Amino acid sequence: YTRLIIQALDELGYGRSADALREESGLSVNHPAIAKLEKCVLEGEWDEAEEHLGHLWPRDNQDSVWALYTVRRQRFMEMLQGGNVDAAVEYLQKRITPLGLEASKVHDLAMRAVLSHQTLLPPSASRGGVVAGQDRGVVFSQLCSHMPPHMLLPKHRLRTLIHQSLDFQAAQCCRGDTDGPWACLLVDCCPVPLPNVPAVSLCELEVHKDEVAAPARCFL
C-alpha cells in the first residue's frame, strides 16, 4: 500500500509529501537496483549494467536472457558507431551468440558489421561518435517494460486499481433511482430495485405455445 501511495503522490505533484513518506517508511516505489541500472545504461557502463540485471531476474529466466541481449546489442551497436568494427565482431561472437537466441538476430547484427566495413550504415548511425542519450534511454525503457511488477510498479497503478473498483461496483449495482453512472469512492453502491418489478420466479411454465404473457400469479 505504501509504495502505491508514494507513487500516486509523485504522479499528482505532491513531491514533498511523497519524500516525507519515503523517509518515514524507509520504502521506495521501485527496487533500488533499478535506479542503479538506469544510471549504468545511460552512462554506458555495460558491465555494471549486466551485474544489476542479475538482481532483477533469475539467471535462467527467459526475460533475463532477453535483457542481456538488449544491453549487449546496444553495446555492440555503439562499438560499430564508434568505428571499432573488429572489437564489435569479437564481442558478437563471444558475448551475444552464446545467449542462444534465434539465428536471425545474430545474422542481423553480423550484417550490420559487414555493412559498417563498407561504410553503408544509415546516417543515424554516425561513425564519428557514440549515439548515447536518447538511444540509451530507449534501451532502459525497453528493459523496464519486462521488469517484474514487484520490482517496478506499473505507471498510475493506484489510479488503475481505483477505476477497477469503480467498474466492479457499477457492474454489481442495479439501481432504479437514477440514469447516471455510479462513481463514488466514499460509499459502496447499494442497489435500489425498481418499484413493483417482479424479481423472484415462483414457478416455471413448461406447457405453453410460446405465449408472450404469463399468468401474474406465477411471479412475486
Side-chain angles (χ1 to χ4, degrees):
Y1 298 122
T2 304
R3 294 174 63 200
L4 292 174
I5 294 172
I6 293 173
Q7 183 193 55
L9 289 172
D10 277 329
E11 292 174 346
L12 292 171
Y14 301 113
R16 287 184 297 178
S17 299
D19 291 338
L21 185 53
R22 283 191 192 93
E23 182 177 356
E24 185 174 354
S25 65
L27 298 173
S28 59
V29 174
N30 299 321
H31 193 282
I34 292 178
K36 296 177 181 178
L37 175 64
E38 180 179 18
K39 178 178 181 295
C40 291
V41 170
L42 295 181
E43 295 180 1
E45 299 173 353
W46 304 116
D47 291 332
E48 291 81 357
E50 290 193 21
E51 181 179 348
H52 291 304
L53 287 177
H55 298 297
L56 298 171
W57 287 287
R59 288 294 182 182
D60 56 349
N61 186 283
Q62 184 176 1
D63 284 334
S64 174
V65 176
W66 177 88
L68 283 173
Y69 167 75
T70 301
V71 168
R72 292 177 183 179
R73 180 185 185 278
Q74 177 68 11
R75 186 172 186 175
F76 169 83
M77 292 299 298
E78 291 188 3
M79 288 179 179
L80 292 183
Q81 293 165 2
N84 301 318
V85 179
D86 292 338
V89 171
E90 182 179 2
Y91 186 79
L92 174 63
Q93 294 172 341
K94 294 183 178 181
R95 301 290 290 170
I96 297 180
T97 303
L99 292 176
L101 298 168
E102 54 266 33
S104 60
K105 293 185 180 296
V106 177
H107 291 166
D108 176 70
L109 297 181
M111 183 59 65
R112 291 176 180 270
V114 171
L115 293 177
S116 68
H117 268 301
Q118 303 173 5
T119 66
L120 293 178
L121 282 177
S124 60
S126 171
R127 292 175 58 88
V130 173
V131 180
Q134 183 177 0
D135 285 355
R136 291 174 180 172
V138 171
V139 169
F140 180 70
S141 297
Q142 292 172 343
L143 293 173
C144 287
S145 68
H146 283 69
M147 287 182 184
H150 68 279
M151 295 286 188
L152 178 69
L153 284 181
K155 290 184 178 180
H156 314 303
R157 183 57 184 164
L158 184 58
R159 182 191 305 178
T160 299
L161 292 174
I162 289 174
H163 283 301
Q164 289 176 352
S165 176
L166 289 173
D167 291 341
F168 176 80
Q169 290 275 358
Q172 303 301 311
C173 186
C174 179
R175 299 183 305 158
D177 60 334
T178 179
D179 294 330
W182 180 87
C184 179
L185 293 174
L186 303 181
V187 295
D188 290 337
C189 178
C190 297
V192 180
L194 291 171
N196 302 323
V197 175
V200 179
S201 174
L202 297 181
C203 64
E204 181 179 351
L205 300 179
E206 297 181 351
V207 181
H208 59 84
K209 297 181 180 179
D210 295 331
E211 296 87 350
V212 175
R217 62 182 176 81
C218 291
F219 297 93
L220 175 61

